[in-house]
Amino acid sequence: MYAVLGDIEFELLVYWDGFDATFGMDYAEHARIEGKPGLQFIGEKLNEISISLVFNNHYCQPDVELARLHDAMVAHQALALVFGNGDYRGWFVITDIRATSQQTDGLGNVQSSSAELTLREYIGDPKNPLTPPAVSGDDPNIDSWSDDADDDFPGSDLFEGLSDITEGLNEVAGALDDAEQAFDEAIDWVENTVEQVQSVIDDILRQLEEALDKVLQPLERIMQTLERIIKSADRLVETLAVVGQVATQIYDEVSSVKARLEGVTSHFGDLFVQARDVVRHSQSLMEESSKSVSRLAATMITRSV
């Protein structure tokens, strides 16, 4: 608790936004003939305090907090103002409340508001003065306002920068609202574009399958031809067997890659890398079988078996 007014508690970081105190002396003015009037000291004026408060639905209910202040004002009761360190300021009545709604929802519920609270010192019966509540011992601050009114307000340094703190909290609250809206829009975008993304993926997969089909189709023709030739060419059996083994291995590996591409919905990058590795391995197999292929080419040119 930072301070309490009667039974109303305030927290420094979430409520308090400013504190102004007014002190003064009262003088009677006596007119003089052909001269400036004279002043006669009468006594002290009643001290006045203006407190700026900020309410936000992130840490309280703004309407409820304002209602508590209003109820205290219309009760016409003097309230003791005491800070959390026991610093007693005196008895006061609430004379004015000025509230400003800064943010509401779509139904008109107040989400953020500020209030200016004006307190005026209450003396009561001078012969039977009000005593400080729950204050024991000799507190040097109890009579500081009346005995030493020219001194700086005790503890005033505590209030420096409070406006920056509360403004920062309000800025954080607003930024959180903006962030929530940004994420909502991002989620909507993902949901609306997933079909478009899937369409692009389908196009890429179709192109890859067509490229692999161009590899598989000539291999199918080669294997069919090899089967016919092997039956009639005993001298080329060994060479054709090597070529046939290479073609079969390439066909099996490429077919496996094509099967994995069908219906793929995730891990595209890893699958594409694996497919590329298979293609490169097939290229290596082709290089290894180049001698056998050359012998077949020479056989076709010389027409000798």
Side-chain angles (χ1 to χ4, degrees):
M1 179 194 71
Y2 180 69
V4 61
L5 177 65
D7 61 353
I8 302 175
E9 296 183 0
F10 301 105
E11 296 293 339
L12 172 63
L13 295 182
V14 295
Y15 291 103
W16 215 268
D17 192 34
F19 185 99
D20 295 317
T22 301
F23 314 98
M25 296 295 175
D26 200 7
Y27 290 85
E29 185 175 304
H30 301 284
R32 293 173 178 169
I33 298 176
E34 296 183 355
K36 292 184 178 181
L39 295 179
Q40 181 182 9
F41 172 71
I42 297 176
E44 296 183 55
K45 289 184 177 180
L46 294 174
N47 297 324
E48 286 192 352
I49 293 178
S50 178
I51 301 175
S52 299
L53 301 171
V54 175
F55 306 111
N56 192 285
N57 65 347
H58 286 287
Y59 50 78
C60 71
Q61 294 179 280
D63 288 339
V64 173
E65 298 301 324
L66 287 173
R68 292 176 63 198
L69 295 174
H70 183 267
D71 291 344
M73 180 179 66
V74 298
H76 311 146
Q77 296 295 320
L79 306 172
L81 178 61
V82 183
F83 285 83
N85 62 357
D87 190 3
Y88 165 69
R89 301 301 189 187
W91 291 84
F92 294 85
V93 293
I94 302 175
T95 58
D96 295 285
I97 299 175
R98 185 176 64 183
T100 303
S101 297
Q102 298 172 326
Q103 186 177 6
T104 63
D105 61 16
L107 299 177
N109 297 314
V110 178
Q111 295 180 325
S112 177
S113 65
S114 62
E116 294 288 336
L117 188 66
T118 301
L119 308 178
R120 194 167 191 188
E121 187 179 15
Y122 182 82
I123 298 300
D125 185 358
K127 297 181 180 180
N128 187 23
L130 298 172
T131 58
V135 176
S136 61
D138 296 329
D139 191 327
N141 291 317
I142 291 178
D143 296 322
S144 61
W145 287 7
S146 58
D147 295 340
D148 196 8
D150 292 335
D151 292 344
D152 290 336
F153 177 68
S156 62
D157 291 342
L158 294 175
F159 300 102
E160 294 182 0
L162 291 180
S163 178
D164 293 338
I165 294 175
T166 53
E167 287 178 3
L169 290 173
N170 288 332
E171 184 178 353
V172 170
L176 288 173
D177 292 339
D178 293 342
E180 180 185 14
Q181 181 179 356
F183 278 109
D184 287 340
E185 293 176 354
I187 292 172
D188 291 340
W189 178 86
V190 170
E191 294 175 349
N192 293 333
T193 58
V194 65
E195 294 182 359
Q196 300 177 7
V197 173
Q198 187 61 49
S199 176
V200 173
I201 293 174
D202 292 341
D203 291 340
I204 295 175
L205 293 177
R206 184 171 58 255
Q207 295 175 9
L208 294 175
E209 291 177 356
E210 291 176 354
L212 294 178
D213 283 337
K214 291 180 180 179
V215 176
L216 294 175
Q217 290 172 359
L219 286 173
E220 290 177 350
R221 293 196 299 269
I222 290 172
M223 288 187 292
Q224 293 173 358
T225 303
L226 286 173
E227 290 179 359
R228 293 196 303 270
I229 295 176
I230 288 175
K231 294 179 181 179
S232 60
D234 294 338
R235 291 179 57 187
L236 295 178
V237 170
E238 183 178 353
T239 300
L240 293 176
V242 173
V243 175
Q245 182 179 359
V246 171
T248 300
Q249 185 175 354
I250 294 175
Y251 183 87
D252 292 341
E253 292 182 358
V254 173
S255 296
S256 176
V257 169
K258 180 182 177 182
R260 278 182 284 175
L261 287 175
E262 295 178 357
V264 63
T265 59
S266 61
H267 304 294
F268 304 103
D270 294 340
L271 185 56
F272 293 165
V273 171
Q274 295 174 7
R276 183 192 61 189
D277 293 341
V278 169
V279 172
R280 290 179 176 176
H281 182 250
S282 299
Q283 292 173 331
S284 299
L285 292 176
M286 290 294 296
E287 292 179 0
E288 294 175 0
S289 63
S290 60
K291 292 184 179 180
S292 298
V293 175
S294 297
R295 284 197 294 269
L296 287 178
T299 300
M300 288 186 294
I301 292 174
T302 60
R303 304 292 182 177
S304 61
V305 177

